[in-house]
Amino acid sequence: MSIIKIILAVLLPPLAVFLHVGLGTQFWISLILTLLFWIPGVIYALLVVTDTI
């Protein structure tokens, strides 16, 4: 399951964060970062999905 979340973190960062932690602060941060520019959203989603933060 974590491989799928990592792939989703690269393709659709907010969806990967939503599937990992649900609808909370981390999801909204991921969504905002993705809307501002895609790369920060991907980096943040990878950090959340791999439980680095």
Side-chain angles (χ1 to χ4, degrees):
M1 185 69 168
S2 64
I3 303 270
I4 294 171
K5 286 183 185 177
I6 290 173
I7 292 170
L8 277 175
V10 174
L11 298 175
L12 297 168
L15 178 61
V17 173
F18 174 74
L19 292 176
H20 188 71
V21 296
L23 191 63
T25 306
Q26 290 179 328
F27 168 77
W28 292 109
I29 292 171
S30 175
L31 183 66
I32 291 169
L33 286 173
T34 303
L35 290 176
L36 289 176
F37 193 64
W38 183 67
I39 298 296
V42 170
I43 293 170
Y44 183 75
L46 285 171
L47 290 173
V48 171
V49 168
T50 59
D51 289 325
T52 306
I53 22 182

